[in-house]
Structures are given as structure tokens and as C-alpha cells.
Amino acid sequence: MPKTERILKVMQRVYERQHFTVGQLADEFSVSYRTMLRYLHELSHLGVPLYATEGKHGGYSILTTRQQQERSAQTKESIQRIIKPQTFIVGLEMKIPFTAYYMSHTLKPRLWQELEARMAEIPNIRRTSQTGHPYIAAVLNRQEIYHYVAGVEVTTVRNTPERMISLTLPTQEYAAYTHVGHSDREDTDQSYTFVLQQLKQRGLAPNPTLHSLELRSSIHAPLVQIYIPLSNNAN
């Protein structure tokens, strides 16, 4: 089936179902999760009013005009522009094919568990009275590689423990959003998609060459602060 015809069929199905997940449509059309996600992004660019919701029961929905207006008003309050100073991170990394979606479900929890068990090995951990250990993930999505670092912020990079890496991120402006729910890749990606959609509506552009960040107070925290780096051309 030609791609254009397939996208039209996906569009028709989207309007029929009103609410769905990427996985459900991928199974229905016998394509990969990544391919279906790309189709949905194309539909969004064509003006289909898709809205991504995070959480265990999240997915995509078609918004009515009233809902679009309400979401637009909420977004102005829920997504903030912040400047985060130079950030030093030490942690454990994984690099997997971008399409190895379900592999990340297994590997990410293992990274965090090992990191928590080895916290005593990391010198110069940056602590705050509000959050205790500032757990932080650095995420870089390339076309072919998904790079994920489960780590903590440190005051300076020195004596990085064996099998860990260090990152030094420059002072950067981010779009910050609070993700509520599970922290697996499928759930957080829905929040990323939601934020990217809203940034586009506000005339802001993300910088895909820089790491996004996920901050949490513990490895099982139900709230995750997602920081998406903004382009230097953002108004």
C-alpha cells in the first residue's frame, strides 16, 4: 500500500477511534511503533488536532475546538521557559538502536538500580534540601541511536567511577514540563510529544542536537521534570 494511502487510512481510523495509543494503531496497521509514531507526527503537521496524554492510560486523542482552546490556555501555565546553569552529570549510559523501543523498558530500570547501589562511589554529589539526591537522566535522540544516561548531578567532574561516564552540559534555556505517571520510555515519549506540539504552536523550536533532561527526587518518583532544550533562535 502506498504511503500516502496508508496515512489517509490512518487518518480515517484516528477520527473513528477518537482515543488510542500508538501501539494499538501500529498493531492494527502491521507497522512498527516508530513508523506509526512518524505517521501521527505527519498527521499533526497536516492539521489533525491530536493531543498526547501521558500516564498508564495515556495515548492520543482528537480534540474538539473547545478542548483545543482549553488545552492552549493550560499549556501557557504548565510549560515554563527556564535557564539551567552549566550542569555536571555522572552516571551509567546505554546506547541502543532508536527503534529498539522495548529493549529500553528492560535496560532503563537496571541502570537506575545499579546507579542507586553505587551512589557511594560518586564523589561531589550535588544535594539540595528540597530533593535530596538530584537524580537526573540525560537523553539524546538521534535518527538511529537512543542515548540515555541515568545519573546524578555533581558539583564538579572528578574521579568518575569505573564503567560510568560524565557529561558537562552548558548553560541552556529549556522548556520545562512536569510529567506525572510512569517513567518508562513510552510514557515519557508521550509527554515529549505533547510538549513539542505545544512549542510549535507557540512558535518555539527545540534543539535536537542537545540533551533533554529528566529530573526526579528518587528513582521511583511519580513526578518527573522534563526539560527540552530550546533553539537559540527561540523568541
Side-chain angles (χ1 to χ4, degrees):
M1 181 187 301
K3 178 183 175 183
T4 301
E5 182 180 351
R6 186 183 294 273
I7 290 180
L8 289 175
K9 287 186 176 296
V10 171
M11 180 186 297
Q12 179 181 356
R13 192 65 177 129
V14 160
Y15 277 104
E16 289 173 350
R17 296 192 62 154
Q18 294 291 308
H19 182 80
F20 51 89
T21 67
V22 180
Q24 288 171 345
L25 287 186
D27 290 343
E28 187 171 333
F29 284 86
S30 300
V31 297
S32 69
Y33 185 100
R34 179 61 183 167
T35 296
M36 181 53 66
L37 190 61
R38 186 169 64 249
Y39 288 168
L40 294 175
H41 285 175
E42 291 186 32
L43 291 182
S44 180
H45 292 158
L46 290 172
V48 177
L50 292 174
Y51 170 67
T53 56
E54 69 274 11
K56 182 178 180 180
H57 302 292
Y60 284 82
S61 298
I62 294 290
L63 296 184
T64 65
T65 300
R66 178 181 61 79
Q67 288 172 325
Q68 291 179 55
Q69 293 172 346
E70 291 175 352
R71 293 296 184 185
S72 178
Q74 293 170 1
T75 298
K76 291 179 180 179
E77 299 179 357
S78 63
I79 298 178
Q80 305 295 325
R81 292 174 65 174
I82 68 164
I83 295 178
K84 184 170 174 53
Q86 186 179 47
T87 303
F88 303 104
I89 300 173
V90 171
L92 298 160
E93 72 172 341
M94 70 173 180
K95 290 183 177 181
I96 60 176
F98 187 88
T99 54
Y101 223 86
Y102 294 101
M103 184 186 298
S104 66
H105 290 346
T106 300
L107 296 180
K108 281 177 62 175
R110 291 180 182 176
L111 286 182
W112 286 112
Q113 290 166 7
E114 181 179 349
L115 179 75
E116 190 170 47
R118 298 181 59 189
M119 288 287 286
E121 300 177 33
I122 304 175
N124 307 309
I125 294 177
R126 180 176 178 272
R127 293 179 172 86
T128 66
S129 58
Q130 291 80 15
T131 61
H133 298 318
Y135 291 92
I136 186 170
V139 186
L140 192 61
N141 290 330
R142 297 293 189 182
Q143 186 173 0
E144 298 180 356
I145 298 297
Y146 178 74
H147 183 205
Y148 186 91
V149 178
V152 292
E153 285 195 57
V154 295
T155 56
T156 185
V157 175
R158 187 179 303 166
N159 301 323
T160 301
E162 184 179 2
R163 293 189 296 107
M164 292 191 186
I165 69 162
S166 62
L167 295 175
T168 299
L169 307 182
T171 299
Q172 175 63 38
E173 184 178 20
Y174 296 88
Y177 177 74
T178 301
H179 167 87
V180 182
H182 292 268
S183 59
D184 58 37
R185 184 178 169 189
E186 184 171 4
D187 272 14
T188 55
D189 273 10
Q190 288 173 356
S191 282
Y192 276 103
T193 299
F194 166 71
V195 175
L196 293 177
Q197 288 173 343
Q198 301 306 320
L199 291 180
K200 181 181 178 182
Q201 292 181 13
R202 296 170 64 176
L204 299 174
N207 188 334
T209 67
L210 301 179
H211 288 83
S212 295
L213 303 176
E214 299 174 6
L215 289 76
R216 69 200 75 204
S217 59
S218 72
I219 64 173
H220 300 296
L223 300 180
V224 179
Q225 293 292 323
I226 291 178
Y227 288 10
I228 297 180
L230 295 175
S231 167
N232 290 334
N233 296 325
N235 295 322

